[in-house]
Amino acid sequence: KKQNMSPKNLNASNKTHKILLNQLKDKQISKIYNKFEKSLDSNEKYAVALSGGPDSLALAFLAKCYALKHGTNIKYFIVDHKLRKESSNEAEHVLLMLKKYSINCKILKWKGKKPKSNIQSIARNNRYSLLTNECKILKIRKLLVGHHMDDLHENFLIRLVRGSGLKGLISMDKTSELKINNIEIVRPLIDIEKRHLQSLSLKVYKKYIEDPSNQNKDFKRIRIRKLLRDLETEGLDKKKLQLTINNLKDSYKSIIFYTNKNIKENCAYSLKDNKYILSSKFFEQSDEIIFRSIMHLLKKVSSKYYPPRGKSVKELILTINLNNQLKTTLGGCLIEKVNRTVIISPEKPQKKQN
């Protein structure tokens, strides 16, 4: 049964809430909060992923202020990954630290065998798995994470080093395109610099925990962080880098617009057979538009989560252009060409239901 709070505890809680909301009178904090508030919808239910870092603690404070101002209930989670001996003590410390500000967290523990290699990637996947499973149980559709502008820039360079395409380079956005466990990942701090979040955390909590792995040069992200600082001394500062990313985002939007236009105007869909019939005009666009259009259709027809590899799709387009008659398969699809018409259908015919 739900217990009523005693008058003494209620007064203490109200006092804490007042202290928190009073922090919004600070000009810098108010500016950050206003940006944060615009990213959220008061009709939605949210959960917050936390650690003891400054960006994460800033997120906890901002979410708590939002909940108080909008009369909503936000859930807070800390993941104890148990990759370091101190991780459980740190999680408990953050829990108690936030409790003083009426921010009640739940610790989610990563149980089982820990990886020896590819640690950061596996840890991230497990972290998201724990968090999104908890969201599903509570019927929460959106998870707030503390990624900020510095993370965005690091991610851009990591993808650049990997040789990612345009979509990969700009993949970190305010809301994640790919849902995890059907939960949307929201990054309300993505256009705020880390130094401002550090400043906010120190003003509100007077301290924060710095992850020791942030100094470990074995991790690519840490080496990229140093590279960014070096590039800044060469004149590529955060403003210029952000301008580059924004320009690439605009280019990507244009490509998506013309891809959708090509699909809409130059191919027909048969719902009965789940197949697309492509006219010759479909292949009269720029290479990038044809590539993205084909990629989209293959994914649609096969119903697969990921489309085929880009190299395979490019080879397919070349084969289509060189042949008048064609019958081949790719990514769970059958691709046929008769004269100048191309048909994309499921590789295995759909079973008719009795």
Side-chain angles (χ1 to χ4, degrees):
K1 282 182 182 178
K2 197 177 178 183
Q3 292 181 322
N4 291 324
M5 202 182 274
S6 69
K8 188 181 175 183
N9 287 344
L10 192 64
N11 284 338
S13 183
N14 287 339
K15 193 179 176 184
T16 305
H17 293 168
K18 204 171 180 183
I19 290 166
L20 283 170
L21 292 172
N22 269 340
Q23 297 277 8
L24 297 179
K25 289 175 182 173
D26 179 287
K27 200 177 174 183
Q28 187 63 43
I29 293 176
S30 175
K31 195 177 173 185
I32 293 170
Y33 176 78
N34 290 337
K35 272 188 180 181
F36 172 85
E37 191 176 44
K38 283 173 187 167
S39 306
L40 271 59
D41 177 356
S42 57
N43 296 314
E44 281 286 353
K45 284 171 78 178
Y46 293 99
V48 182
L50 298 174
S51 67
D55 37 8
S56 190
L57 291 175
L59 179 62
F61 162 77
L62 294 164
K64 183 67 184 180
C65 289
Y66 183 89
L68 292 172
K69 283 173 81 93
H70 292 269
T72 59
N73 184 21
I74 294 177
K75 299 289 179 186
Y76 303 86
F77 302 122
I78 303 166
V79 172
D80 176 10
H81 47 67
K82 294 186 178 287
L83 286 168
R84 292 182 288 106
K85 287 177 191 172
E86 313 83 22
S87 74
S88 294
N89 284 339
E90 283 171 6
E92 286 292 340
H93 176 72
V94 176
L95 183 94
L96 293 170
M97 186 176 160
L98 290 171
K99 205 171 184 180
K100 291 176 189 173
Y101 298 87
S102 297
I103 300 168
N104 299 311
C105 300
K106 180 179 179 181
I107 296 174
L108 308 176
K109 295 182 181 182
W110 175 15
K111 293 167 185 170
K113 205 175 174 185
K114 303 296 181 277
K116 295 276 191 293
S117 61
N118 203 15
I119 298 164
Q120 284 200 325
S121 176
I122 294 166
R124 185 176 63 246
N125 291 341
N126 275 280
R127 183 169 175 256
Y128 275 125
S129 180
L130 283 166
L131 290 161
T132 54
N133 281 335
E134 203 67 25
C135 286
K136 282 193 108 164
I137 292 164
L138 296 166
K139 292 184 169 58
I140 293 169
R141 296 186 307 168
K142 294 183 187 250
L143 176 69
L144 304 181
V145 295
H147 293 141
H148 44 74
M149 193 184 278
D150 298 46
D151 290 323
L152 175 70
H153 295 166
E154 286 166 20
N155 194 63
F156 176 77
L157 272 193
I158 287 169
R159 295 293 178 98
L160 191 64
V161 168
R162 278 187 201 154
S164 292
L166 184 55
K167 188 179 180 183
L169 290 173
I170 55 154
S171 63
M172 190 179 263
D173 218 332
K174 197 153 261 193
T175 54
S176 179
E177 196 177 306
L178 284 177
K179 289 184 179 182
I180 301 171
N181 247 339
N182 219 24
I183 307 298
E184 196 173 273
I185 309 301
V186 183
R187 305 181 180 100
L189 309 178
I190 203 73
D191 48 6
I192 298 164
E193 287 181 52
K194 182 169 183 166
R195 63 191 176 100
H196 294 317
L197 299 171
Q198 285 172 323
S199 169
L200 185 153
S201 285
L202 284 174
K203 280 176 186 172
V204 174
Y205 306 99
K206 310 294 182 275
K207 60 178 175 179
Y208 54 78
I209 298 167
E210 197 59 78
D211 187 340
S213 69
N214 283 342
Q215 307 306 320
N216 189 343
K217 287 180 184 170
D218 290 342
F219 294 129
K220 180 176 268 189
R221 188 170 285 278
I222 309 309
R223 297 195 300 274
I224 290 286
R225 201 167 286 169
K226 185 190 176 296
L227 177 61
L228 274 166
R229 287 196 291 269
D230 293 343
L231 286 171
E232 207 160 332
T233 62
E234 295 296 332
L236 184 64
D237 60 17
K238 284 176 183 174
K239 277 186 179 176
K240 284 178 189 166
L241 192 52
Q242 193 57 45
L243 189 64
T244 301
I245 294 168
N246 290 342
N247 287 338
L248 289 174
K249 279 184 181 177
D250 285 342
S251 299
Y252 183 67
K253 280 178 191 171
S254 299
I255 288 167
I256 294 303
F257 173 81
Y258 285 106
T259 299
N260 291 337
K261 190 172 187 279
N262 188 32
I263 291 166
K264 190 181 174 184
E265 292 178 2
N266 300 319
C267 71
Y269 178 64
S270 168
L271 184 63
K272 185 187 166 194
D273 309 313
N274 180 30
K275 70 180 180 186
Y276 282 93
I277 301 146
L278 286 51
S279 74
S280 57
K281 277 192 174 179
F282 185 94
F283 296 93
E284 288 171 12
Q285 317 303 313
S286 69
D287 291 350
E288 185 67 16
I289 302 304
I290 297 166
F291 171 75
R292 290 197 180 271
S293 302
I294 289 277
M295 191 79 100
H296 178 82
L297 297 184
L298 291 171
K299 196 178 167 197
K300 273 279 209 190
V301 170
S302 68
S303 299
K304 288 190 176 179
Y305 193 65
Y306 292 108
R309 289 173 69 90
K311 190 183 173 186
S312 306
V313 176
K314 283 177 180 173
E315 283 170 4
L316 171 69
I317 294 165
L318 188 66
T319 311
I320 289 169
N321 287 332
L322 291 174
N323 295 280
N324 270 340
Q325 305 290 323
L326 175 73
K327 197 170 187 177
T328 187
T329 58
L330 179 64
C333 296
L334 174 68
I335 299 100
E336 297 172 274
K337 186 179 181 185
V338 182
N339 297 325
R340 297 182 72 192
T341 303
V342 174
I343 299 160
I344 299 176
S345 56
E347 190 176 346
K348 290 174 184 173
Q350 293 169 317
K351 290 178 183 176
K352 288 182 181 178
Q353 291 181 332
N354 295 325

